Amino acid sequence: MKVFKRDVGQLCSRAPLFAALGDETRLTLLMKLGDGQPKSISQLSQGESVSRQAITKHLQVLNEVGLVKGVRKGREKLFQVEQKPLDDLRLALDLISKQWDHALDRLKSHVEQA
């Protein structure tokens, strides 16, 4: 399998998404939002060892890369997951996985012929 410039470009364009997911707190927030129900910062802060201010900053990072969206409802801001960027990440990981599968197949063939 040949790596095309467009594939590399697609993967590189996803780097901010991967970087945002590189933090345990942000991953935890996405997991809490994974049930599809919008949640407030208060709800997302429950059971966490970090402050509500820290949760807010993490949500801002996730919002900036498009992984979550915040919507005002009265005095609260409710956050929910945006599915499209996650689907894009899955496609990027599938591409990387296929490239590794092909590389390992070539290595296996080479070793078996030797």
Side-chain angles (χ1 to χ4, degrees), residues 31-93:
M31 294 297 293
K32 285 184 172 187
L33 292 168
D35 65 1
Q37 299 299 314
K39 293 184 177 50
S40 67
I41 292 172
S42 295
Q43 291 170 311
L44 293 168
S45 299
Q46 290 175 353
E48 295 299 318
S49 60
V50 295
S51 68
R52 288 176 54 167
Q53 291 171 330
I55 296 292
T56 300
K57 288 182 181 183
H58 284 293
L59 287 167
Q60 287 173 343
V61 171
L62 293 171
N63 185 56
E64 287 171 7
V65 297
L67 288 168
V68 300
K69 178 174 76 170
V71 178
R72 279 257 170 233
K73 187 172 183 183
R75 292 178 44 185
E76 287 188 311
K77 190 169 190 178
L78 301 178
F79 291 86
Q80 60 191 34
V81 172
E82 288 291 300
Q83 192 61 44
K84 172 96 171 75
L86 291 174
D87 292 341
D88 291 345
L89 286 176
R90 185 176 45 245
L91 292 174
L93 289 173

Side-chain angles (χ1 to χ4, degrees), residues 6-18 65 88-89 92:
R6 69 176 164 77
D7 295 333
V8 173
Q10 287 177 358
L11 291 174
C12 289
S13 71
R14 307 294 191 280
L17 295 170
F18 284 111
V65 297
D88 291 345
L89 286 176

